[in-house]
Amino acid sequence: MQKKLVSILALLLTAVLVVGCNTSDKTGDSDAQQNEPSNTASDQKPSGNTAGESNEEEEDTPAANDTNTEDAKQPQQDVKYVQKGVDKTEKATESASVDQSYKLQQLPGFTLTQEEPGKDMLVSNDDDEVFMRIETIEASQSSFEEVKTTMQDYMNAVGETVALTAEELAAFKDVQNIEGYVVDFDTEKVIGVVFEKDGLITKLTIHDNDEQDLTDAMLKMAATISKK
């Protein structure tokens, strides 16, 4: 009888110990889960940056449009000229010298650049040996006769000069004074023109050849030179 009681007590004690261990393990697991940090919130990426980047891209677009609008607003006018015996009419766009105090209507196919201080070059995009050098001087700083003399000296050094006729210079309107010369070679020519208008004395040196034949186009552009 005593053996049975001892056995029963041993079984009860074992059961109590097992139940106690299971309860302790569950409690420990629960505590570990509660103490473990949650990464859900930190792993989520905010969507605000995407919207901000989109807004910045949208803001950049109007700036480009503004540039295009400014180009479109540049004053334009039709310029008629003769090239290789063919009458042509093209839209010229106003361009201003960076260094000098003039502006002019520039035909497509030409680029206006600064050669050096006080001298610009209007160069053909098809042939950089075809160009018009533009020099302007305030009438208060010099005189037409002085500038004309320097131009004549240059042209005489180039070759035998022939004076341009009034018809050849007819494109120049409302000028106080004007004079021009040409030196003809076999397939090339050099033209020098000086004119005074609106308090500005302008000296032109044109280099052209038979292949391009852009003298008339360059003279027509030069006739639009005015003080800016």
Side-chain angles (χ1 to χ4, degrees), residues 63-103:
N65 291 338
D66 289 344
T67 303
N68 295 334
T69 303
E70 288 176 4
D71 291 340
K73 288 181 179 179
Q74 288 291 338
Q76 293 183 329
Q77 72 178 51
D78 289 337
V79 173
K80 297 179 180 181
Y81 64 96
V82 179
Q83 183 183 24
K84 297 181 180 179
V86 179
D87 293 331
K88 295 188 176 183
T89 301
E90 290 190 278
K91 285 282 187 187
T93 304
E94 184 178 285
S95 295
S97 172
V98 174
D99 179 58
Q100 302 183 66
S101 58
Y102 76 87
K103 59 185 178 180

Side-chain angles (χ1 to χ4, degrees), residues 1 24 34 53-54 83-84 105 120-122 135 148 156 161 163 165 167 173 183 185 194 203 206 209 215 222 225:
M1 184 70 180
S24 176
Q34 290 177 1
E53 292 171 359
S54 177
Q83 183 183 24
K84 297 181 180 179
Q105 294 296 324
D120 291 341
M121 297 273 282
L122 188 62
E135 303 172 64
K148 183 182 75 171
N156 288 330
T161 62
T165 65
E167 183 179 355
K173 309 292 186 184
V183 176
F185 299 102
V194 176
K203 182 169 70 171
I206 294 174
N209 57 47
T215 297
I225 290 175

Side-chain angles (χ1 to χ4, degrees):
M1 184 70 180
Q2 287 180 343
K3 289 181 179 181
K4 288 182 179 181
L5 288 173
V6 170
S7 298
I8 292 171
L9 289 173
L11 288 172
L12 289 173
L13 181 61
T14 301
V16 169
L17 290 173
V18 169
V19 170
C21 288
N22 288 341
T23 303
S24 176
D25 289 341
K26 289 180 180 181
T27 303
D29 291 341
S30 176
D31 291 341
Q33 289 178 356
Q34 290 177 1
N35 294 332
E36 185 175 321
S38 174
N39 293 330
T40 303
S42 61
D43 289 343
Q44 291 179 350
K45 294 182 179 180
S47 60
N49 291 342
T50 303
E53 292 171 359
S54 177
N55 290 338
E56 290 177 0
E57 292 175 0
E58 290 176 359
E59 290 174 1
D60 289 340
T61 304
N65 291 338
D66 289 344
T67 303
N68 295 334
T69 303
E70 288 176 4
D71 291 340
K73 288 181 179 179
Q74 288 291 338
Q76 293 183 329
Q77 72 178 51
D78 289 337
V79 173
K80 297 179 180 181
Y81 64 96
V82 179
Q83 183 183 24
K84 297 181 180 179
V86 179
D87 293 331
K88 295 188 176 183
T89 301
E90 290 190 278
K91 285 282 187 187
T93 304
E94 184 178 285
S95 295
S97 172
V98 174
D99 179 58
Q100 302 183 66
S101 58
Y102 76 87
K103 59 185 178 180
L104 84 167
Q105 294 296 324
Q106 180 179 323
L107 286 168
F110 288 87
T111 301
L112 182 65
T113 60
Q114 183 182 26
E115 182 183 20
E116 60 181 71
K119 293 183 181 180
D120 291 341
M121 297 273 282
L122 188 62
V123 185
S124 167
N125 294 341
D126 295 328
D127 187 347
D128 60 8
E129 293 185 357
V130 174
F131 62 86
M132 176 169 64
R133 181 179 290 111
I134 305 171
E135 303 172 64
T136 60
I137 304 167
E138 295 286 343
S140 59
Q141 298 177 358
S142 185
S143 69
F144 176 80
E145 290 300 323
E146 289 178 354
V147 179
K148 183 182 75 171
T149 299
T150 61
M151 185 269 291
Q152 288 173 329
D153 291 342
Y154 173 81
M155 294 298 293
N156 288 330
V158 172
E160 185 177 350
T161 62
V162 177
L164 295 177
T165 65
E167 183 179 355
E168 290 173 310
L169 297 172
F172 294 84
K173 309 292 186 184
D174 302 322
V175 294
Q176 283 76 51
N177 298 288
I178 186 167
E179 195 161 329
Y181 298 90
V182 59
V183 176
D184 264 316
F185 299 102
D186 290 337
T187 59
E188 299 178 354
K189 58 184 171 183
V190 179
I191 295 169
V193 177
V194 176
F195 67 93
E196 183 178 359
K197 181 180 179 180
D198 298 334
L200 203 64
I201 302 172
T202 303
K203 182 169 70 171
L204 310 171
T205 308
I206 294 174
H207 288 251
D208 196 10
N209 57 47
D210 291 347
E211 184 179 352
Q212 296 296 322
D213 190 25
L214 290 168
T215 297
D216 192 49
M218 288 187 278
L219 285 174
K220 294 296 175 60
M221 286 188 284
T224 69
I225 290 175
S226 62
K227 202 168 184 179
K228 64 181 179 182

